[in-house]
Amino acid sequence: MKKLKNLTLNLGLTVTTLIFTITVGEIGLRIAGIKSPPPLRIDLELDDNSPYTFKDPYRGWGGNPNGKSFWNGEGIPSEINMNSGGFRDYERSKTKPKNGFRIALLGDSFTEAIHVKLEDTHGAIIEQNLQQCPVLKDRKVEVMNFGVQGYGTAQELMTLRHHVWDYSPDLVMLVFFAANDLRNNYRALEHDHLRPYFIYQDGKLVADMSFRNLKFWQRDRYAFSLVDFLPFWWVKNSRILQLIRKVDIDGKYRQYEKDYSEINLGFYQEPKPDSDWQETWKVTEGLIKLMRDEVSEKGADFMVITASDSHQVLPDIQRRDGFRKSLNVSNLFYPDIRLKKFGKKENIPVYTLAGPIWNEAKKTDECLHGFDNAIPCGGHWNLAGHKFVGEIMANYLCERYTVLLSKED
């Protein structure tokens, strides 16, 4: 009886100590302002105001119609407002104006561009400047932003099929970012699997939609912690669990950087025969041709724009050349050159931005990528980058349509 009493007393003391320790820890972390809320899980019902949904049956994730948020990450803090179509753009009517001229921009984070205010994105600047083009001045020009961060070409094709045609565009522009898009298009190179893939079967590209059956822990092993098996509410409200999870995820991110150090730079090099890179180039070029064909069937124009990677356009020549030498390549424009040749062969207009952006960076000694609160001269286009891209693309399109419309007359 005495042993049972002592056991009960010790157990009670242990539980009390544990509760006290947890309570003190929670209070201490709150006083110190230490918190790291877990990201929303793909198996949860999101708030109506959330800017994104993870239950898109064709794309994996996408914008939530009329969703709202505030961006505090890389770039300029600002409100993120989705329109009724679920895209970070101005509100657009599905009925095209009688004398309207519509351009649909497909792309990833470079196109969605949550790092700058909506009016400062290259899409908004193209729209504003192109309206001044003499051959389009009597038409209402709309440049509609269908970009979604993290997308590859397969998701952009699905966006075209299931969203873009509702707005009857005259021109579809695919903004291709080789640093991510090639990897995104091939399962063996990608770590985030909440997305469709396309594979070749009997010489035809076929959609692999297996992501629809994905469990939340299967999406990305680098972004998943065992803490995530606990009820989401616990983790959301416990600073201790958040701290444990953060330590775990930080370690996995370091592992990601180690595992993907070569993969993230592989797009700069010509792929070796029978390699994953050769396969992803094959799939990617097939997707672009498929997109061209579907756009052509709808009677619209199609073109590709290649977005610059920050290393390609560094104004610091010594730093840029050091990076090039570390890759053992003759230049940093392999993907741009390849896509230009591909476009010529397939009769697809391809405008490469890396060259003009690098020339501008050298001339002004100004980085067109990067923000003060992120990687200096790295990451996404900054305000100057968007302004430059918007202006040169508006000029290019004005010249192009001046020629095309004159031929029609």
Side-chain angles (χ1 to χ4, degrees):
M1 191 70 175
K2 186 176 180 181
K3 288 183 178 180
L4 180 61
K5 184 177 180 181
N6 288 337
L7 179 62
T8 302
L9 183 64
N10 289 335
L11 181 61
L13 184 62
T14 300
V15 171
T16 301
T17 302
L18 180 62
I19 293 173
F20 176 77
T21 303
I22 291 174
T23 302
V24 170
E26 289 286 348
I27 293 173
L29 289 173
R30 279 170 166 76
I31 291 174
I34 297 173
K35 61 180 179 178
S36 183
L40 294 169
R41 288 192 341 211
I42 64 176
D43 61 330
L44 297 177
E45 291 294 332
L46 302 185
D47 186 275
D48 289 341
N49 287 328
S50 173
Y52 297 100
T53 173
F54 301 113
K55 297 183 181 296
D56 190 291
Y58 300 104
R59 302 175 297 163
W61 71 89
N64 192 24
N66 300 312
K68 297 181 180 180
S69 183
F70 193 85
W71 176 250
N72 275 319
E74 174 195 0
I76 299 168
S78 61
E79 284 191 353
I80 305 300
N81 296 311
M82 300 297 178
N83 62 18
S84 60
F87 296 94
R88 196 210 175 198
D89 190 19
Y90 301 109
E91 189 61 33
R92 310 288 187 179
S93 170
K94 289 187 177 180
T95 302
K96 185 166 68 174
K98 185 177 180 180
N99 202 29
F101 181 78
R102 286 185 157 178
I103 299 174
L105 286 179
L106 291 169
D108 59 9
S109 53
F110 273 78
T111 303
E112 187 180 37
I114 61 176
H115 321 94
V116 298
K117 294 181 179 179
L118 180 58
E119 60 268 26
D120 294 322
T121 62
H122 65 275
I125 293 170
I126 292 173
E127 179 176 289
Q128 181 181 4
N129 287 18
L130 197 57
Q131 189 65 73
Q132 309 307 315
C133 179
V135 297
L136 296 172
K137 65 179 181 180
D138 295 327
R139 304 179 68 174
K140 179 175 173 54
V141 175
E142 293 178 279
V143 179
M144 301 176 292
N145 189 338
F146 290 96
V148 181
Q149 57 182 319
Y151 270 17
T153 317
Q155 287 163 300
E156 290 150 4
L157 175 60
M158 290 297 186
T159 301
L160 175 70
R161 290 176 173 177
H162 300 284
H163 295 275
V164 171
W165 294 125
D166 291 342
Y167 297 86
S168 305
D170 300 282
L171 169 65
V172 174
M173 295 171 59
L174 173 66
V175 183
F176 185 85
F177 182 53
N180 290 156
D181 291 356
L182 286 161
R183 187 192 75 200
N184 297 154
N185 295 334
Y186 196 60
R187 186 185 295 275
L189 294 173
E190 180 54 60
H191 57 90
D192 185 350
H193 298 301
L194 186 66
R195 65 176 77 239
Y197 293 101
F198 277 74
I199 57 176
Y200 274 100
Q201 289 184 356
D202 299 324
K204 292 184 178 181
L205 277 175
V206 178
D208 171 6
M209 308 297 282
S210 57
F211 76 88
R212 292 172 175 173
N213 301 316
L214 205 67
K215 304 299 183 183
F216 75 87
W217 64 84
Q218 297 173 318
R219 176 179 178 176
D220 184 351
R221 65 190 180 96
Y222 297 104
F224 170 72
S225 168
L226 289 177
V227 173
D228 292 326
F229 273 123
L230 297 173
F232 184 77
W233 186 89
W234 288 11
V235 187
K236 183 180 178 181
N237 291 280
S238 170
R239 300 296 174 86
I240 291 177
L241 289 177
Q242 289 177 22
L243 182 60
I244 294 171
R245 184 183 187 279
K246 184 178 186 306
V247 171
D248 186 17
I249 293 298
D250 285 350
K252 289 186 175 181
Y253 182 74
R254 289 191 293 272
Q255 186 63 45
Y256 160 81
E257 290 186 314
K258 180 181 178 181
D259 294 345
Y260 272 73
S261 60
E262 291 186 11
I263 291 177
N264 286 333
L265 298 175
F267 70 96
Y268 281 117
Q269 300 165 325
E270 183 173 359
K272 296 178 181 178
D274 301 319
S275 67
D276 288 334
W277 282 102
Q278 186 180 51
E279 286 300 308
T280 194
W281 268 111
K282 179 182 176 182
V283 169
T284 298
E285 291 171 344
L287 287 169
I288 294 174
K289 286 195 291 184
L290 194 56
M291 197 176 291
R292 173 206 61 193
D293 293 342
E294 295 186 13
V295 171
S296 179
E297 287 174 6
K298 294 285 186 178
D301 293 331
F302 177 69
M303 70 171 296
V304 176
I305 305 169
T306 62
S308 57
D309 180 65
S310 60
H311 294 97
Q312 292 177 311
V313 297
L314 286 170
D316 185 334
I317 305 298
Q318 186 174 359
R319 180 181 164 194
R320 180 184 181 277
D321 201 45
F323 175 75
R324 179 191 62 76
K325 289 178 180 178
S326 72
L327 296 178
N328 194 28
V329 294
S330 59
N331 65 70
L332 297 176
F333 298 118
Y334 172 76
D336 308 85
I337 294 170
R338 176 165 179 157
L339 282 169
K340 193 76 172 179
K341 290 179 179 178
F342 167 76
K344 187 175 182 180
K345 176 185 174 184
E346 297 294 338
N347 196 28
I348 299 172
V350 176
Y351 189 99
T352 59
L353 284 169
I357 289 178
W358 188 37
N359 289 335
E360 178 70 10
K362 288 186 293 183
K363 183 176 72 174
T364 62
D365 196 29
E366 179 181 13
C367 292
L368 276 70
H369 287 249
F371 297 88
D372 292 340
N373 66 347
I375 304 171
C377 292
H380 295 84
W381 290 326
N382 53 29
L383 281 170
H386 277 280
K387 184 176 185 295
F388 180 75
V389 170
E391 289 175 350
I392 63 170
M393 286 310 304
N395 289 337
Y396 168 81
L397 290 170
C398 182
E399 293 174 4
R400 174 175 169 77
Y401 277 92
T402 297
V403 173
L404 290 176
L405 294 175
S406 65
K407 289 181 179 179
E408 291 180 5
D409 295 337

